[in-house]
Amino acid sequence: MEPHYILGLFLKDSDTYVIKQFGAGLIHQTFVVEKNESPVYILQHINRQVFKNPDDIAFNLASMRDFLEVRNFGFLVPFPIRTNSGHMHAVVDGEFYRLTSFIKDTFSLNECQDAGQAYEAALQFGRFSASFDGFDSKLLKPSIPGFHDLQFRWHQFQDALKNGNAKRIEYAKKQISFIRDNHNIVDQFIKIEKSADFLQRVTHHDTKINNVLFNKQGKSVCVIDLDTTMSGLIISDLGDMFRTYLSPGNEEDTDLQKVFVRMDCMQAIVEGYKEYMADKMTTVEMSAIGYAGEFMIYMQALRFLTDFLNDDIYYGIRHEMNNFDRTINQLQLLKDYQSQMRSV
Ligand code: ADP
Ligand code: GN1
Ligand code: MG
C-alpha cells in the first residue's frame, strides 16, 4: 500500500511529508515521516502473522493511556494518534496501520555496549511497570496468548519433535538432549506461575535495548513497542534484558567466543530495574532474579529450536541454518550464565 495514502487517513496535510523506511525492528514494517528533514511521526504496518488481533493491542494501549493520563504521571509513553475518523489504527484491505509521534531528539541502540547503557534501559522498563501500580494488569488482553508461558512453549517443542522435519530432528539431537536435560527450568516456572508470591503486573515482554529511546546525552527517555505489553511476571522483563544485554555478541553471532556473560552488565540491569521496582517486589521475586535469565535464555533457545524443527515458520531467516545457529548461540549463553550463577 502506498504510504502517503495511509498517512492521509491520519493527517489532512499528508502530502507535505517525506516518508522513509526506518529502524531495525523485526516484527513490524516501520517508516519515519519527515518534514524539512526532521522526523515528526512513526508510521507502522502491524504484522498480522504475529498479532492476530490488532484490536486487542488498541484496547490495551487505550487502557494504559487512560490510566496514566488520569494519574498525570508526566511519564512519556508514545501512544498512537487517532485516524481522521477517530480510530486507533487505519485498516486498509485487511491490513492495520498506526501513526505515533516521533519522540524528538531520540534514537535507539541495537546493541548494549556497556553497563551504563544496561542501567539506563533497565531503569525505563522498571519505571514502566512501576507506573502501573494500582492498575489491574488482568484487564489487558493477551495480544499473543501463551507468549511467555514456558510450559506452553515446551508443548510446542514436543509437537515439533513428533511432527517436525525428521532430518532436522536427527541433526539437532545434541541440542534436543541438552534442552531435555534442563527441563528443571520448566518445572521451576510451573511452580512460580502458581505461587502467590509472584505478582502479575503490567509487563512489557520485549525488553531488547532497541525498545528504549535514548537522548544525545546517553540518558534513557522512555520505552516503546508496547504491542506485547500484557499481564505477566517480572522474570520476563528482567530475563529478556539479561538475555539480550549481557553478551557482547548478540543472538545472531556465530562466533561463540563472543557469547558470554558480562557480570558488570548484570549488576547494572538489577540496579536500574530496582530504582523504581525495589519497593514493589516481594522477597520471593527478589530471590528469583537469577532464575529470570535462565528462564528467558532457555525459552528463547527452545523457541528457535522448535522453529528450526518446524522448517522455519515463525522467525525470519537469512540462511538455511539460521534458527539452528541461533539455538546454539542461546545454549552457549545459557551454559555461561549457569556457570556464572553457580560461582556467585
Ligand atoms: P518493532 O516491533 O518492529 O521492533 P518498534 O515499534 O520497536 O518496531 O519500532 C522500530 C524502531 O523505530 C525502534 O527501534 C525505534 O528506533 C524507532 N521508533 C519507534 N517508535 C518511535 C518513536 N515514537 N519515536 C522515535 N523512534 C521510534
Ligand atoms: C521477536 O520483535 P523482536 O525481534 O524484538 C520475538 C521475541 C523474541 C525475539 C528474538 C512477538 O522479537 O519474543 O525474543 O524475536 N517477538 C515475538 O529475537 O515473537
Ligand atoms: Mg521494537
Side-chain angles (χ1 to χ4, degrees), residues 65-122:
R65 185 201 48 211
D66 292 351
F67 178 82
L68 293 182
E69 256 173 27
V70 170
R71 304 256 160 153
N72 200 12
F73 268 115
F75 172 64
L76 188 57
V77 184
F79 289 112
I81 292 164
R82 291 190 185 269
T83 63
N84 294 329
S85 51
H87 295 103
M88 294 280 278
H89 39 232
V91 187
V92 182
D93 297 336
E95 298 293 321
F96 286 66
Y97 301 85
R98 69 166 168 236
L99 190 72
T100 318
S101 291
F102 189 99
I103 307 296
K104 248 183 152 347
D105 300 321
T106 63
F107 60 92
S108 61
L109 300 161
N110 281 321
E111 310 280 330
C112 174
Q113 281 136 355
D114 55 43
Q117 292 176 349
Y119 172 88
E120 282 295 321

Coordinates of all heavy atoms in Angstrom, one line a residue, residues 65-122:
R65 N -3.1 4.2 28.4 CA -3.0 5.6 28.3 C -4.0 6.3 29.2 O -3.7 7.2 29.9 CB -3.3 6.0 26.8 CG -3.2 7.5 26.5 CD -4.0 7.9 25.3 NE -5.3 7.3 25.4 CZ -6.1 7.0 24.3 NH1 -5.6 7.1 23.1 NH2 -7.3 6.5 24.5
D66 N -5.2 5.8 29.3 CA -6.2 6.4 30.2 C -5.8 6.3 31.6 O -5.9 7.3 32.3 CB -7.6 5.6 30.0 CG -8.2 5.8 28.7 OD1 -7.7 6.7 27.9 OD2 -9.2 5.1 28.3
F67 N -5.2 5.2 32.0 CA -4.7 5.1 33.4 C -3.6 6.1 33.7 O -3.7 6.8 34.7 CB -4.2 3.7 33.7 CG -3.7 3.5 35.1 CD1 -4.5 3.2 36.1 CD2 -2.3 3.6 35.3 CE1 -4.0 3.1 37.4 CE2 -1.8 3.4 36.6 CZ -2.7 3.2 37.7
L68 N -2.7 6.2 32.8 CA -1.6 7.2 33.0 C -2.0 8.6 33.0 O -1.5 9.5 33.7 CB -0.4 6.9 32.0 CG 0.3 5.6 32.2 CD1 1.4 5.5 31.1 CD2 0.9 5.4 33.6
E69 N -3.0 8.9 32.1 CA -3.5 10.3 31.9 C -4.1 10.8 33.2 O -3.9 11.9 33.7 CB -4.4 10.4 30.8 CG -3.8 11.0 29.6 CD -4.7 10.9 28.4 OE1 -6.0 10.9 28.5 OE2 -4.2 10.9 27.2
V70 N -5.0 9.9 33.8 CA -5.7 10.3 35.0 C -4.8 10.5 36.1 O -4.9 11.5 36.9 CB -6.8 9.2 35.4 CG1 -7.4 9.4 36.7 CG2 -7.8 9.1 34.3
R71 N -3.7 9.7 36.2 CA -2.8 9.9 37.3 C -1.8 11.0 37.1 O -1.0 11.3 37.9 CB -1.9 8.6 37.4 CG -2.8 7.4 37.6 CD -2.7 7.0 39.0 NE -3.8 6.1 39.3 CZ -3.8 5.2 40.3 NH1 -2.8 5.1 41.0 NH2 -4.9 4.5 40.5
N72 N -1.9 11.6 35.8 CA -1.0 12.7 35.5 C 0.5 12.4 35.8 O 1.1 13.2 36.5 CB -1.5 13.9 36.2 CG -0.9 15.2 35.5 OD1 -0.4 15.1 34.4 ND2 -1.1 16.3 36.1
F73 N 1.0 11.3 35.4 CA 2.3 10.9 35.7 C 3.4 11.7 35.1 O 4.6 11.7 35.5 CB 2.6 9.4 35.2 CG 2.3 8.4 36.3 CD1 1.2 7.5 36.1 CD2 3.0 8.4 37.4 CE1 0.9 6.6 37.1 CE2 2.7 7.5 38.4 CZ 1.7 6.6 38.2
G74 N 3.1 12.4 34.0 CA 4.1 13.2 33.3 C 5.1 12.2 32.7 O 6.2 12.4 32.5
F75 N 4.6 10.9 32.5 CA 5.5 9.9 32.1 C 5.3 9.7 30.6 O 4.2 9.5 30.1 CB 5.1 8.6 32.9 CG 5.8 7.3 32.5 CD1 7.1 7.2 32.6 CD2 5.0 6.3 31.9 CE1 7.7 6.0 32.2 CE2 5.6 5.1 31.6 CZ 7.0 5.0 31.7
L76 N 6.4 9.7 29.9 CA 6.3 9.7 28.4 C 6.2 8.3 27.9 O 7.1 7.5 28.0 CB 7.6 10.4 27.9 CG 7.7 10.7 26.5 CD1 6.6 11.6 26.0 CD2 9.1 11.4 26.3
V77 N 5.1 8.0 27.3 CA 4.9 6.8 26.5 C 4.3 7.1 25.2 O 3.3 7.8 25.2 CB 4.0 5.8 27.3 CG1 3.9 4.4 26.5 CG2 4.4 5.5 28.7
P78 N 4.9 6.8 24.1 CA 4.3 7.2 22.8 C 3.1 6.3 22.5 O 3.2 5.1 22.2 CB 5.4 7.0 21.8 CG 6.5 6.2 22.5 CD 6.2 6.1 23.9
F79 N 1.9 6.9 22.5 CA 0.7 6.3 22.2 C 0.2 6.7 20.8 O 0.5 7.8 20.4 CB -0.4 6.6 23.2 CG -0.2 5.9 24.6 CD1 0.1 6.7 25.7 CD2 -0.2 4.5 24.7 CE1 0.4 6.1 26.9 CE2 0.0 3.9 25.9 CZ 0.3 4.7 27.0
P80 N -0.5 5.9 20.1 CA -0.9 6.2 18.7 C -1.8 7.4 18.6 O -2.6 7.7 19.5 CB -1.6 5.0 18.2 CG -1.3 3.9 19.2 CD -0.9 4.5 20.5
I81 N -1.7 8.1 17.5 CA -2.5 9.2 17.1 C -3.7 8.7 16.4 O -3.6 7.7 15.6 CB -1.7 10.1 16.1 CG1 -0.6 10.8 16.9 CG2 -2.6 11.2 15.4 CD1 0.5 11.3 16.0
R82 N -4.9 9.2 16.7 CA -6.2 8.7 16.1 C -6.3 9.0 14.6 O -5.7 10.0 14.1 CB -7.4 9.2 16.8 CG -7.5 8.6 18.2 CD -8.8 8.9 18.9 NE -8.7 8.4 20.3 CZ -9.1 7.2 20.6 NH1 -9.6 6.4 19.7 NH2 -9.0 6.9 21.9
T83 N -7.0 8.2 13.9 CA -7.2 8.5 12.4 C -8.2 9.6 12.3 O -8.8 10.0 13.3 CB -7.8 7.2 11.7 OG1 -9.1 7.0 12.3 CG2 -7.0 6.0 11.9
N84 N -8.4 10.1 11.1 CA -9.4 11.2 10.8 C -10.8 10.8 11.3 O -11.6 11.6 11.7 CB -9.4 11.6 9.4 CG -8.1 12.2 8.9 OD1 -7.4 12.8 9.7 ND2 -7.7 11.9 7.6
S85 N -11.0 9.5 11.3 CA -12.4 9.0 11.8 C -12.4 8.6 13.2 O -13.3 7.9 13.7 CB -12.9 7.9 10.8 OG -12.0 6.9 10.7
G86 N -11.3 8.9 14.0 CA -11.2 8.6 15.4 C -10.8 7.3 15.9 O -11.0 6.9 17.0
H87 N -10.2 6.5 14.9 CA -9.8 5.1 15.3 C -8.3 5.1 15.7 O -7.6 5.9 15.3 CB -10.1 4.1 14.2 CG -11.6 4.0 14.0 ND1 -12.2 4.5 12.9 CD2 -12.5 3.3 14.7 CE1 -13.5 4.3 13.0 NE2 -13.7 3.6 14.1
M88 N -8.0 4.0 16.5 CA -6.6 3.9 16.9 C -5.7 3.4 15.8 O -4.5 3.5 15.9 CB -6.5 2.9 18.1 CG -7.2 3.3 19.4 SD -6.2 4.4 20.3 CE -5.1 3.3 21.2
H89 N -6.2 2.8 14.8 CA -5.4 2.4 13.6 C -6.3 2.5 12.4 O -7.5 2.4 12.4 CB -4.7 1.0 13.8 CG -5.6 0.0 14.4 ND1 -5.1 -0.8 15.5 CD2 -6.8 -0.4 14.2 CE1 -6.1 -1.6 15.8 NE2 -7.1 -1.4 15.0
A90 N -5.6 2.6 11.3 CA -6.3 2.6 10.0 C -6.3 1.2 9.4 O -5.3 0.5 9.6 CB -5.6 3.5 9.0
V91 N -7.4 0.7 8.9 CA -7.5 -0.6 8.3 C -7.7 -0.4 6.8 O -8.7 0.2 6.3 CB -8.6 -1.4 8.9 CG1 -8.6 -2.9 8.4 CG2 -8.6 -1.4 10.4
V92 N -6.8 -1.0 6.0 CA -6.9 -0.9 4.5 C -6.6 -2.3 4.0 O -5.6 -2.9 4.2 CB -5.8 0.1 3.9 CG1 -6.0 0.2 2.4 CG2 -5.9 1.5 4.6
D93 N -7.6 -2.8 3.2 CA -7.6 -4.2 2.7 C -7.2 -5.2 3.7 O -6.3 -6.1 3.5 CB -6.5 -4.2 1.5 CG -6.9 -3.4 0.4 OD1 -8.1 -3.1 0.2 OD2 -6.0 -2.9 -0.4
G94 N -7.7 -5.0 4.9 CA -7.5 -6.0 6.0 C -6.1 -5.8 6.7 O -5.8 -6.6 7.6
E95 N -5.4 -4.9 6.2 CA -4.0 -4.6 6.9 C -4.2 -3.4 7.8 O -4.9 -2.5 7.5 CB -3.0 -4.3 5.8 CG -2.7 -5.4 4.8 CD -2.1 -6.6 5.5 OE1 -1.2 -6.5 6.4 OE2 -2.5 -7.8 5.2
F96 N -3.4 -3.5 9.0 CA -3.6 -2.5 10.0 C -2.3 -1.5 10.0 O -1.2 -2.0 9.9 CB -3.7 -3.1 11.4 CG -5.1 -3.7 11.6 CD1 -5.5 -4.8 10.8 CD2 -5.9 -3.2 12.5 CE1 -6.7 -5.4 11.0 CE2 -7.2 -3.8 12.7 CZ -7.6 -4.9 12.0
Y97 N -2.6 -0.2 10.2 CA -1.5 0.8 10.2 C -1.7 1.7 11.4 O -2.9 2.0 11.7 CB -1.5 1.6 8.9 CG -1.3 0.7 7.7 CD1 -2.4 0.1 7.0 CD2 -0.1 0.5 7.1 CE1 -2.3 -0.6 5.9 CE2 0.1 -0.3 6.0 CZ -1.0 -0.8 5.4 OH -0.8 -1.6 4.3
R98 N -0.6 2.2 12.0 CA -0.8 3.2 13.0 C 0.3 4.2 12.9 O 1.3 4.0 12.4 CB -0.9 2.5 14.4 CG 0.4 2.0 14.8 CD 0.5 1.7 16.3 NE 1.7 0.9 16.4 CZ 1.8 -0.3 16.9 NH1 0.7 -0.9 17.4 NH2 2.9 -1.0 16.9
L99 N -0.1 5.4 13.5 CA 0.8 6.5 13.5 C 1.1 7.0 14.9 O 0.2 7.0 15.8 CB 0.1 7.7 12.7 CG 1.0 8.9 12.4 CD1 2.0 8.5 11.3 CD2 0.1 10.1 11.9
T100 N 2.4 7.3 15.2 CA 2.8 7.7 16.5 C 3.7 8.9 16.4 O 4.4 9.0 15.3 CB 3.7 6.6 17.2 OG1 3.1 5.3 17.0 CG2 3.8 6.8 18.7
S101 N 3.7 9.8 17.4 CA 4.6 11.0 17.3 C 6.0 10.5 17.4 O 6.3 9.6 18.3 CB 4.4 12.0 18.4 OG 3.1 12.6 18.2
F102 N 6.9 11.0 16.6 CA 8.3 10.6 16.8 C 8.8 11.4 18.0 O 8.7 12.6 18.1 CB 9.1 11.1 15.6 CG 10.6 10.6 15.6 CD1 10.9 9.4 14.9 CD2 11.5 11.2 16.3 CE1 12.2 9.0 14.9 CE2 12.9 10.8 16.4 CZ 13.2 9.6 15.6
I103 N 9.4 10.7 19.0 CA 9.9 11.4 20.2 C 11.2 12.2 19.8 O 12.2 11.6 19.4 CB 10.2 10.5 21.4 CG1 8.9 9.6 21.6 CG2 10.6 11.3 22.6 CD1 7.7 10.3 22.1
K104 N 11.1 13.5 19.9 CA 12.1 14.4 19.4 C 13.5 14.1 20.0 O 13.6 13.8 21.2 CB 11.7 15.9 19.7 CG 11.3 16.7 18.5 CD 11.1 18.1 19.0 CE 11.3 19.2 18.0 NZ 12.0 18.9 16.8
D105 N 14.5 14.3 19.2 CA 15.9 14.2 19.6 C 16.2 12.9 20.3 O 16.9 12.9 21.3 CB 16.3 15.4 20.5 CG 16.1 16.7 19.7 OD1 16.5 16.7 18.5 OD2 15.7 17.6 20.3
T106 N 15.6 11.8 19.9 CA 15.9 10.5 20.5 C 16.4 9.5 19.4 O 16.2 9.7 18.2 CB 14.7 9.8 21.1 OG1 13.7 9.6 20.1 CG2 14.1 10.7 22.2
F107 N 17.1 8.4 19.9 CA 17.5 7.4 18.9 C 17.5 6.1 19.7 O 17.4 6.1 21.0 CB 18.9 7.6 18.4 CG 19.9 7.8 19.4 CD1 20.7 6.6 19.8 CD2 20.2 9.0 20.0 CE1 21.6 6.7 20.7 CE2 21.2 9.1 21.0 CZ 21.9 7.9 21.4
S108 N 17.5 4.9 19.0 CA 17.6 3.7 19.7 C 18.9 3.0 19.4 O 19.5 3.2 18.4 CB 16.4 2.8 19.4 OG 16.4 2.5 18.0
L109 N 19.3 2.1 20.3 CA 20.6 1.4 20.1 C 20.2 -0.1 19.8 O 19.3 -0.6 20.3 CB 21.3 1.3 21.5 CG 21.7 2.6 22.1 CD1 22.1 2.4 23.6 CD2 23.0 3.1 21.4
N110 N 21.0 -0.7 18.9 CA 20.7 -2.1 18.6 C 21.5 -3.1 19.4 O 21.2 -4.2 19.5 CB 20.9 -2.4 17.1 CG 19.7 -1.9 16.3 OD1 18.6 -2.0 16.8 ND2 20.0 -1.2 15.2
E111 N 22.6 -2.6 20.1 CA 23.4 -3.4 21.0 C 23.6 -2.7 22.3 O 23.7 -1.5 22.3 CB 24.8 -3.6 20.4 CG 24.9 -4.1 18.9 CD 24.6 -5.5 18.8 OE1 24.9 -6.3 19.7 OE2 24.1 -5.9 17.7
C112 N 23.7 -3.5 23.3 CA 24.1 -2.9 24.6 C 25.6 -2.9 24.7 O 26.2 -4.0 24.8 CB 23.4 -3.7 25.8 SG 23.9 -3.1 27.4
Q113 N 26.2 -1.7 24.7 CA 27.7 -1.7 24.7 C 28.3 -1.8 26.0 O 29.4 -2.3 26.2 CB 28.2 -0.4 24.0 CG 28.1 -0.5 22.5 CD 27.5 0.7 21.8 OE1 27.1 1.6 22.5 NE2 27.5 0.7 20.5
D114 N 27.7 -1.3 27.0 CA 28.3 -1.3 28.4 C 27.3 -1.2 29.5 O 26.1 -1.1 29.3 CB 29.3 -0.1 28.5 CG 28.6 1.2 28.2 OD1 27.5 1.4 28.7 OD2 29.2 2.0 27.4
A115 N 27.8 -1.3 30.7 CA 26.9 -1.4 31.9 C 26.1 -0.1 32.0 O 25.0 -0.2 32.5 CB 27.8 -1.6 33.1
G116 N 26.7 1.0 31.6 CA 25.9 2.3 31.7 C 24.6 2.2 30.9 O 23.6 2.6 31.4
Q117 N 24.7 1.7 29.7 CA 23.5 1.6 28.8 C 22.5 0.6 29.4 O 21.3 0.8 29.4 CB 23.9 1.2 27.4 CG 24.7 2.3 26.7 CD 25.2 1.9 25.3 OE1 25.1 0.7 25.0 NE2 25.7 2.8 24.6
A118 N 23.1 -0.5 30.0 CA 22.2 -1.5 30.6 C 21.4 -0.9 31.7 O 20.2 -1.2 31.8 CB 23.1 -2.7 31.1
Y119 N 22.1 -0.1 32.5 CA 21.4 0.5 33.7 C 20.3 1.4 33.2 O 19.2 1.4 33.7 CB 22.5 1.3 34.5 CG 21.8 2.2 35.5 CD1 21.6 1.7 36.8 CD2 21.5 3.5 35.3 CE1 21.0 2.5 37.8 CE2 20.9 4.3 36.2 CZ 20.6 3.8 37.5 OH 20.0 4.6 38.4
E120 N 20.6 2.3 32.2 CA 19.7 3.2 31.7 C 18.4 2.5 31.1 O 17.3 3.0 31.3 CB 20.3 4.1 30.6 CG 21.2 5.2 31.1 CD 20.5 6.2 31.9 OE1 19.3 6.6 31.5 OE2 21.0 6.7 32.9
A121 N 18.6 1.5 30.3 CA 17.5 0.8 29.7 C 16.6 0.1 30.8 O 15.4 0.2 30.8 CB 18.0 -0.3 28.7
A122 N 17.3 -0.6 31.8 CA 16.6 -1.3 32.8 C 15.8 -0.3 33.7 O 14.7 -0.6 34.1 CB 17.6 -2.1 33.7

